[in-house]
Amino acid sequence: MAVLLAAAVAVCHFGRLGHARAVLLAGLRAAVQLAAVSLVIGAVVRHIPLVALFVILMYAVAVRTSGRRLTKGPSWWWASLPIGAGVAPVLALLLAAGLLPPKGISVIPIAGILIGGALTATYLAGRRALDELAQRSGEVEAALSLGLLDRDARLLIARDKAATALVPAIDQTRTVGLVTLPGAFVGMMLGGASPVAAGAVQLFVLIALLAIEATAAFLTLELVARGLIIDR
């Protein structure tokens, strides 16, 4: 791991990519965080109330991370809406249908995957929408001059760019088993599950991610269009 991290830092440095320090800190931070999280999960995994608190903590961190990437201003907390609205109903449905056993060892990793997907979709959709509106502000003004409402004018300009936030999830789903073997599948296989069981679990995770990320991207775009998330 040390050699690989050093290689990544060296490539960024000598290739003048500008992220050598960030890559180094990210690697060191990941090691510390995973060590701490492993100990915490081991302590809470058998207690459902503690599992619920841990999932809420993951959600809070995702909101903070995604929101602060979108804007440095006070509107960052609006990221809580697309992430929560995307993840909560899907996680509840999986538990109610029995596809996800109500056990900490099952809930924590699946919740983490779903929250992570919502975080990414929220940030990508919001950031791309804000950048597009900033670069094409003249077109927004032109749309307003034609009588469109503020929301409609912003949607007209930003919708297509924001929608590209769904491309990674779509590509991951389309190429699963052909190009990539995602974490849930590999983890279950390493844990002794049959390939069929591992494939079934991975399939519902991928389909759930599509629903969550589509919801998160749609709501984020709506928040930007309404001026609730602004780039300052």
Side-chain angles (χ1 to χ4, degrees), residues 9-179:
V9 172
V11 170
C12 288
H13 175 72
F14 291 109
R16 298 182 181 181
L17 301 179
H19 293 287
R21 184 173 182 273
V23 168
L24 176 61
L25 293 177
L28 296 175
R29 180 174 173 173
V32 173
Q33 289 177 181
L34 285 173
V37 167
S38 298
L39 294 174
V40 171
I41 290 178
V44 308
V45 74
R46 295 180 179 84
H47 307 282
I48 294 300
L50 294 179
V51 169
L53 288 175
F54 192 81
V55 171
I56 292 172
L57 175 62
M58 289 193 293
Y59 166 70
V61 172
V63 170
R64 175 80 177 182
T65 301
S66 183
R68 283 305 188 186
R69 284 180 179 175
L70 282 175
T71 175
K72 301 301 181 184
S75 62
W76 66 268
W77 67 270
W78 278 105
S80 61
L81 178 60
I83 295 176
V87 173
V90 172
L91 195 58
L93 178 62
L94 293 176
L95 287 167
L99 292 174
L100 182 61
K103 300 177 181 179
I105 197 65
S106 303
V107 172
I108 290 177
I110 296 300
I113 293 171
L114 301 183
I115 292 172
L119 182 159
T120 301
T122 297
Y123 165 67
L124 289 178
R127 188 66 264 161
R128 290 172 183 177
L130 290 169
D131 289 344
E132 193 75 352
L133 291 174
Q135 294 171 10
R136 300 171 62 185
S137 57
E139 294 178 53
V140 176
E141 294 296 329
L144 292 173
S145 70
L146 294 175
L148 272 70
L149 299 176
D150 286 354
R151 168 187 173 274
D152 296 334
R154 295 190 185 103
L155 283 176
L156 180 66
I157 301 304
R159 180 184 282 115
D160 290 346
K161 195 70 173 181
T164 61
L166 298 178
V167 171
I170 294 172
D171 285 347
Q172 182 185 30
T173 304
R174 291 176 60 185
T175 60
V176 66
L178 299 176
V179 177

Side-chain angles (χ1 to χ4, degrees), residues 172-229:
Q172 182 185 30
T173 304
R174 291 176 60 185
T175 60
V176 66
L178 299 176
V179 177
T180 60
L181 293 176
F185 181 88
V186 175
M188 288 193 65
M189 288 285 289
L190 292 176
S194 69
V196 173
V201 171
Q202 184 61 67
L203 180 60
F204 86 66
V205 168
L206 288 172
I207 300 302
L209 280 172
L210 286 176
I212 287 170
E213 294 192 32
T215 301
F218 166 73
L219 291 176
T220 303
L221 175 61
E222 190 68 30
L223 290 170
V224 171
R226 291 177 181 272
L228 296 175
I229 295 179

